[in-house]
């Protein structure tokens, strides 16, 4: 019984995840960019066989985005540098947040603030020139609606099966 409840919960949680992802991609901004770096990695925490790809893209809006995906459509960008990406509203390019570089709009600050910043101690964390991953995706590899519908229908079917099993157990117990 607990396994059914767990399976039902996972189906509905997955459907919710895909719906949120699809809603975010509906309002996403479509940008053209150039792939600056392409890397392929294998394994996750010591498990061989799982391949994922890391792309660093300079978009036409002047920002750098890092895309980490396990979709095999990312393989073709090893040799091809032009790419179309979907940037959801509010997605941080993270090149500035991760590296500690100033945001473009914060470059023009009063001189007294800059002087106090020069006297401040430097951050201890290392400075990386690679942005952290964001919700940015490759347009061709974006989630498809069939994933949502499959998980939603699976959750409903398992829920109905669970209700039938529970009613069957109650009938068997009292009869």
């Amino acid at each position: 019984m607990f396994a059914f409840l767990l399976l039902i919960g996972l189906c509905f949680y997955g459907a919710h995840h895909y719906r949120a992802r699809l809603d975010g991609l509906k309002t996403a901004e479509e940008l053209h960019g150039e792939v600056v770096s392409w890397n392929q990695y294998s394994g996750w925490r010591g498990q061989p066989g799982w391949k994922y790809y890391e792309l660093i893209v300079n978009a036409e809006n002047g920002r750098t985005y890092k895309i980490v995906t396990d979709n095999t459509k990312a393989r073709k960008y090893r040799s091809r540098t032009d790419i179309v990406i979907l940037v959801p509203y509010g997605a941080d390019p993270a090149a500035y947040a991760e590296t500690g570089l100033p945001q473009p709009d914060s470059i023009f600050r009063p001189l007294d603030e800059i002087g106090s910043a020069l006297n401040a101690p430097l951050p201890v964390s290392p400075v990386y020139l690679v942005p952290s991953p964001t919700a940015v995706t490759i347009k061709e590899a974006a989630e498809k609606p069939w994933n949502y519908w499959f998980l939603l229908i699976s959750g409903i079917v398992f829920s109905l099966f669970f209700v039938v099993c529970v009613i069957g157990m109650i009938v068997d117990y009292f009869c």
Side-chain angles (χ1 to χ4, degrees), residues 20-41:
R21 196 78 173 130
L22 288 171
D23 289 343
L25 291 177
K26 282 181 186 175
T27 61
E29 181 182 6
E30 185 175 315
L31 296 174
H32 295 276
E34 178 184 357
V35 178
V36 178
S37 173
W38 182 94
N39 292 313
Q40 176 181 343
Y41 298 102

Side-chain angles (χ1 to χ4, degrees), residues 161-172:
F161 189 67
F162 179 73
V163 168
V164 167
C165 288
V166 168
I167 291 173
M169 287 175 53
I170 291 172
V171 168
D172 285 344

Side-chain angles (χ1 to χ4, degrees), residues 117-138:
L118 290 175
N119 294 331
L122 293 175
V124 179
S125 62
V127 174
Y128 299 106
L129 296 177
V130 177
S132 63
T134 60
V136 179
T137 60
I138 302 170

Side-chain angles (χ1 to χ4, degrees), residues 31-127:
L31 296 174
H32 295 276
E34 178 184 357
V35 178
V36 178
S37 173
W38 182 94
N39 292 313
Q40 176 181 343
Y41 298 102
S42 181
W44 180 73
R45 296 190 185 198
Q47 298 176 357
W50 183 65
K51 290 184 182 176
Y52 63 97
Y53 307 94
E54 178 185 274
L55 287 84
I56 297 177
V57 178
N58 284 337
E60 63 188 353
N61 63 359
R63 295 184 174 178
T64 302
Y65 295 98
K66 180 178 181 181
I67 302 171
V68 178
T69 181
D70 59 352
N71 196 309
T72 56
K73 293 186 180 192
R75 282 189 288 183
K76 69 180 177 181
Y77 294 106
R78 181 177 191 173
S79 60
R80 204 171 110 184
T81 59
D82 58 327
I83 189 171
V84 178
I85 58 175
L86 296 174
V87 181
Y89 176 74
D92 182 22
Y96 304 106
E98 182 74 19
T99 61
L101 297 174
Q103 293 282 352
D105 56 349
S106 67
I107 291 177
F108 303 105
R109 292 183 282 177
L111 289 176
D112 58 345
E113 188 178 331
I114 293 174
S116 65
L118 290 175
N119 294 331
L122 293 175
V124 179
S125 62
V127 174

